[in-house]
Amino acid sequence: MQRAMVLPGPDDGEMEAVVRTMLDDHWVSEGYAAPNSTVYPWQWLWDSCFHVLVWSALGDGDRARRELAVALAPQTPSGFVPHMHYVRQPGFHEDLWGRPDDSSITQPPMYGHAVAELVRAGEPVDDEVVERATAGLWFLLQGRRRDPSGLVRVCHPWETGADDSPRWDDHCPDGFDADRWRSVKNRLASTIETGPDGEALANPVFEVAPVGFNALVAFNARELVTVTGDDELAAAADQLVDALAGRWNEDLGTWVDAGPTADGSGRVRTLDALLPLLVEEDARRADRVIDQLLDPEAHGGPAGPTGVHRGEPTFDPDAYWRGPVWPQLAYLMVRAVAPRSPESAEALTRTTVAGAWASGMAEYWNPDTGAGRGAIPQSWTGLALVLARLSL
Ligand code: GLC
């Protein structure tokens, strides 16, 4: 059976050389690494935050700092940080966003973790960057509408970074179909309600409060608090953690999104829906999730954790966001698991690094074979180097 296969991983020197070449090739003189030079030439917010960790692992603190500063530069006075920045070619997507230089939606605020990791690595971080990161989190915590559950709503599936996750399938008429979903996503961009600077505040047609996104807001706020000691932000993160606790479903063994999909696709067992593990305090729940991450009948795979539970009818090991391994999610899972079970974190790391290597450092890959999918190579897969060097 393919799933029992053990994929060979690289040694540290081989991995470092490949990651360095890839990031250098993708570096854009305006100050960021493109996720991929041809498929994704613009700056994406959460990609850049992950690149900061990769630059740091490569020993290049200057590029790490520069990329983070450039990602936060288009922040509006409200604190909103756009998910895409067209610094290379202003005006490129103005028709879609109504703003010339950047988008009107955001992405998971991974800048909290990026700042904290730089500080832990002994890299100086500018006060302005820390202030911008703090304001970005407050925008999400106060500027965004909340669901009655207490969770923050997103304005578009793109804001979660998990564009075609089966969690959004209820919003695709007649069930998921990649082409139909593409048109729905474009239409959903036109129903966003914006603030004075064009920043997304709400979307009456997509009132989903996803547990994965909220877990990343709480986690990043707590990460930033390790640097700033800001009690108010810590209290706001705690409130979100309490709200997340109420979304756990014991029968399914996952957290359920709040809002209109709560009784439908918001319950599909996906890896991004297990991100509340990052802030979970209940040891029994945590163990239940960790078991699934390694169970070959659930999320376990020789090339890393599957993006969708194998028992879901929608699971497809090769389809965009519907089953493959995503390196940024695998990385976050390792960070969530490590404090509780170093052995499990080590197993997740080994399989993910082997998968990244087998895939040619792809954007995402098949969890059983490591066959690369999407853009190849993709900068955030440099997280494999960060993972391989974590002391667990
Ligand atoms: C895709 C992914 C998104 C990512 C972007 C650039 O749109 O779904 O999460 O940020 O590509 O890599």
Side-chain angles (χ1 to χ4, degrees), residues 38-192:
T38 46
V39 184
Y40 300 112
W42 320 114
Q43 183 173 35
W44 270 263
L45 177 59
W46 79 325
D47 295 64
S48 275
C49 295
F50 289 115
H51 301 167
V52 169
L53 315 183
V54 182
W55 287 122
S56 178
L58 289 170
D60 198 333
D62 288 344
R63 282 196 175 172
R65 268 187 295 278
R66 177 111 192 268
E67 180 147 3
L68 187 54
V70 174
L72 292 169
Q75 183 169 48
T76 67
S78 65
F80 160 82
V81 186
H83 95 301
M84 286 184 71
H85 191 191
Y86 301 97
V87 58
R88 259 175 102 171
Q89 204 179 335
F92 186 77
H93 263 156
E94 188 164 359
D95 52 338
L96 181 63
W97 305 118
R99 315 172 82 228
D101 301 337
D102 33 70
S103 63
S104 57
I105 60 168
T106 193
Q107 258 185 341
M110 290 310 307
Y111 35 80
H113 180 58
V115 167
E117 281 287 289
L118 284 179
V119 170
R120 285 191 283 262
E123 293 286 351
V125 180
D126 284 350
D127 289 348
E128 190 189 334
V129 163
V130 177
E131 279 156 24
R132 283 179 181 269
T134 306
L137 281 154
W138 278 122
F139 168 78
L140 292 170
L141 290 160
Q142 292 182 327
R144 275 295 168 88
R145 308 280 156 74
R146 297 264 181 136
D147 177 87
S149 64
L151 294 187
V152 173
R153 286 183 185 147
V154 294
C155 296
H156 196 287
W158 286 331
E159 289 203 316
T160 67
D163 303 12
D164 287 17
S165 166
R167 284 250 157 169
W168 328 130
D169 283 3
D170 284 358
H171 279 88
C172 193
D174 304 321
F176 179 80
D177 165 84
D179 289 334
R180 266 205 313 276
W181 183 233
R182 193 166 307 118
S183 332
V184 173
K185 284 186 290 189
N186 282 323
R187 255 200 324 276
L188 282 174
S190 69
T191 51
I192 295 171

